[in-house]
Amino acid sequence: MTLDGRSEREGDVMHSQDEKFMDAAFDLAREALTAGEVPVGCVFVYKSEVVGGGRNYVNETKTATRHAEIVAVEEVLRWCQEKGLSSSEVFGESQLYVTVEPCIMCASALQQLQVPLIVYGCDNDRFGGCGSVLDVFKLNNSFIPSLVSGVKATEAINLLKEFYQGENPNAPISKQKRKVIS
């Protein structure tokens, strides 16, 4: 642990259980890619059990807030209701495994839910809320989770590259790639 309560990654060593949960997040990210979404997937783990998962649904729903983490939060809330458990207690004892660093919006939601551990693949250099662009957790020091970054980062980057090689048909006309004719 660092002085600010964040975890430092210990080389490329992952416990088999952590790898299993990260693999589940990557399965969801690949599902998102197949559906034409930015390939981000995540799972919430409570007491060694996946209790919620999500992938991006932004393009399919045309709703900018349908990020993987928000979808997974909704699944956890439903799971808690079915089990008769307190969602604040479940989130407070859960870990999030996500393929890409949560954006500013999602990092803020995770802070509000007081998720104690966030494990992610690659940095999000455009919208990252865990320190790449803005460290949401330092804005309001009421709750600072432990962060583990760089887990299967190359795999996460490769999925993003695969998505961005194509053209996003849902992008506004002004944002679509233009073919240069020479």
Side-chain angles (χ1 to χ4, degrees):
M1 286 260 183
T2 61
L3 293 176
D4 65 359
R6 294 166 187 253
S7 295
E8 291 179 331
R9 188 151 180 266
E10 298 176 18
D12 290 325
V13 178
M14 274 182 59
H15 295 94
S16 62
Q17 193 164 344
D18 291 330
E19 192 163 343
K20 176 181 83 172
F21 297 135
M22 205 58 174
D23 286 345
F26 274 101
D27 288 344
L28 290 164
R30 283 187 284 278
E31 184 181 304
L33 179 63
T34 300
E37 295 284 349
V38 176
V40 178
C42 68
V43 294
F44 275 99
V45 176
Y46 173 71
K47 295 186 177 179
S48 300
E49 177 187 351
V50 173
V51 296
R55 67 165 179 87
N56 279 354
Y57 282 94
V58 172
N59 292 335
E60 291 173 78
T61 62
K62 302 203 182 326
T63 305
T65 59
R66 303 306 298 151
H67 290 201
E69 298 91 336
I70 302 302
V71 172
V73 163
E74 291 171 354
E75 279 199 10
V76 173
L77 290 171
R78 278 191 295 276
W79 183 86
C80 289
Q81 189 172 32
E82 289 170 9
K83 301 290 184 185
L85 297 172
S86 162
S87 60
S88 61
E89 287 179 25
V90 170
F91 282 116
E93 295 178 29
S94 293
Q95 303 83 44
L96 176 70
Y97 293 83
V98 59
T99 58
V100 177
E101 173 187 4
C103 71
I104 294 166
M105 173 186 72
C106 292
S108 181
L110 295 168
Q111 181 182 40
Q112 293 298 314
L113 294 168
Q114 297 190 355
V115 176
L117 175 64
I118 302 168
V119 178
Y120 63 91
C122 66
D123 290 343
N124 182 341
D125 294 333
R126 294 187 71 197
F127 307 108
C130 299
S132 292
V133 174
L134 177 70
D135 191 337
V136 168
F137 309 115
K138 288 185 178 176
L139 293 176
N140 176 355
N141 287 327
S142 64
F143 179 80
I144 300 176
S146 293
L147 299 173
V148 179
S149 64
V151 178
K152 295 189 166 199
T154 302
E155 186 175 344
I157 290 167
N158 287 339
L159 281 175
L160 290 169
K161 283 181 180 179
E162 189 174 339
F163 175 80
Y164 286 111
Q165 281 177 349
E167 182 175 314
N168 182 350
N170 296 298
I173 301 286
S174 65
K175 301 289 184 184
Q176 290 182 357
K177 294 180 184 175
R178 304 203 193 279
K179 294 183 180 175
V180 179
I181 301 172
S182 334

